[in-house]
Amino acid sequence: MADAHIWWAGLVKPLLRLVFFLSVSLLAANIIEALNWTRGVARVAAPLVQLGHLRDVSGAAFSLAFVSSIAANTMLAESHEKGELSRRELVFANIFNSMPAYFVHLPSMGMLVVSVLGGVGAVYVGLTLAAAVLRTLSVIVFGRIFLPPVPEGCVSCRLEEYRPATWGEAVQRSLQRFRRRMPRILYITVPVYCCVFVLQRSGGFAVVERFMQDHVTFLAFLEPQTLSVVILHIAAEFTPAISAAGALLDSGTIAWREIVLALLAGNVLSTPMRAFRHQFPSYAGIFKPRLALHLIVINQCLRAGSIVAVGVLFFYVTL
């Protein structure tokens, strides 16, 4: 009877709660994305463009990136091929889109993380958002230093053909995405959550702890139990890492601070794999292969550096 209570309280009940909140959050996030509610933030593009000595096409791409990063990069690529943007300006404009590109995935990613990790997830999302904002602001600062002033252009002229979906279209599109994405999430989340629970009960993390003490010295600032989160972040996708973090957090054996640090570390260390899996196929279809690789390397290096910066600040602030 005691074992049944442990399995119910430690695995079944938290897992049912997790699946429920994942379902609700994913559906709500899909509706928000379809309605393009985040596009309102793009109104700040014009003054930022002028401040950073960027051209109007960079501002238009910045605004468009709140809807589609692929469409934004296509606009930049066409302008570069026409000679409107130099190579340096293209690099600056591409990095400038870091914040809106993040906002495109923020509803689904944010709700997924918060539904699993609660307030701890909100802290992680806030830190990664701060890193994206830091990258965009750095472009404004360095653009003002290294780019010559340009005449003020019309940022909104190129965006008239893009409109947000109606409520009916948003609901229909969201249901289609939900049916397609939810089974994949469950196929990953449920087994990972169960495996982490079994490893905790069987002492599997003690083996990981001994291995870390002997071999993984550069991650010594993390609790050994959180290494599974880092490994899943690198080897798999984001959802398994969040599932493992949720299982560790629910066990009550890991402090919230360690979960956040593990997710940040996994985010940084998964940079090469993320670039290869997700960014290069898209960029290679828009830019010339050599230019695509150049943009990805710069973009991902700055992305990793910005996350390290906010992570170090978080580490010392929460000591």
Side-chain angles (χ1 to χ4, degrees):
M1 185 64 71
D3 288 341
H5 175 74
I6 291 173
W7 280 85
W8 168 255
L11 177 62
V12 179
K13 186 178 178 179
L15 189 55
L16 289 174
R17 185 177 69 244
L18 170 65
V19 171
F20 171 76
F21 282 112
L22 278 177
S23 302
V24 174
S25 300
L26 181 61
L27 186 58
N30 284 334
I31 292 176
I32 291 174
E33 288 182 3
L35 290 171
N36 293 331
W37 286 354
T38 56
R39 194 183 181 191
V41 186
R43 295 175 182 175
V44 302
L48 292 179
V49 165
Q50 188 175 8
L51 189 62
H53 291 174
L54 299 171
R55 297 185 182 275
D56 59 340
V57 65
S58 300
F62 178 88
S63 301
L64 186 56
F66 281 97
V67 181
S68 170
S69 58
I70 293 177
N73 282 328
T74 300
M75 179 181 287
L76 293 177
E78 291 174 353
S79 295
H80 177 63
E81 291 174 359
K82 293 177 182 177
E84 297 175 355
L85 287 178
S86 66
R87 189 183 182 93
R88 174 180 288 185
E89 289 173 324
L90 176 63
V91 171
F92 274 72
N94 181 254
I95 301 170
F96 187 55
N97 291 343
S98 295
M99 186 176 69
Y102 183 94
F103 266 88
V104 170
H105 304 289
L106 181 60
S108 57
M109 188 274 287
M111 288 189 176
L112 170 66
V113 175
V114 173
S115 65
V116 177
L117 301 178
V120 176
V123 172
Y124 171 75
V125 172
L127 290 172
T128 54
L129 175 59
V133 173
L134 179 63
R135 294 193 295 277
T136 293
L137 292 178
S138 67
V139 169
I140 297 174
V141 173
F142 287 105
R144 192 164 185 85
I145 296 173
F146 295 106
L147 295 178
V150 295
E152 184 177 356
C154 177
V155 172
S156 61
C157 296
R158 305 177 184 235
L159 302 174
E160 294 179 356
E161 61 182 286
Y162 296 93
R163 63 170 182 87
T166 64
W167 268 100
E169 293 170 340
V171 171
Q172 182 179 7
R173 192 182 306 170
S174 301
L175 289 174
Q176 292 175 347
R177 290 179 180 175
F178 181 85
R179 287 192 294 265
R180 185 173 65 250
R181 295 171 63 182
M182 193 62 197
R184 292 205 299 263
I185 290 177
L186 291 180
Y187 292 153
I188 295 172
T189 299
V190 174
V192 168
Y193 199 100
C194 293
C195 288
V196 171
F197 176 80
V198 171
L199 284 172
Q200 286 179 300
R201 297 290 300 169
S202 64
F205 285 114
V207 177
V208 174
E209 181 177 356
R210 290 192 293 270
F211 178 84
M212 277 195 65
Q213 290 173 346
D214 295 336
H215 300 92
V216 193
T217 56
F218 68 95
L219 292 177
F221 65 94
L222 295 176
E223 289 290 332
Q225 295 93 325
T226 61
L227 182 61
S228 61
V229 177
V230 178
I231 293 174
L232 285 170
H233 220 317
I234 299 172
E237 295 288 346
F238 184 62
T239 303
I242 293 298
S243 302
L248 291 173
L249 190 64
D250 289 339
S251 71
T253 59
I254 301 296
W256 69 273
R257 176 178 180 269
E258 304 302 327
I259 295 293
V260 174
L261 289 173
L263 288 172
L264 291 174
N267 198 322
V268 172
L269 295 175
S270 63
T271 293
M273 189 62 66
R274 180 185 296 104
F276 177 76
R277 284 180 176 176
H278 302 295
Q279 223 177 357
F280 186 74
S282 171
Y283 272 54
I286 299 173
F287 303 99
K288 295 179 180 179
R290 185 173 179 179
L291 178 58
L293 184 61
H294 179 72
L295 291 172
I296 289 172
V297 169
I298 294 177
N299 198 301
Q300 291 297 325
C301 286
L302 290 176
R303 180 184 173 281
S306 65
I307 294 176
V308 169
V310 298
V312 169
L313 179 62
F314 171 79
F315 178 86
Y316 285 105
V317 168
T318 56
L319 276 178

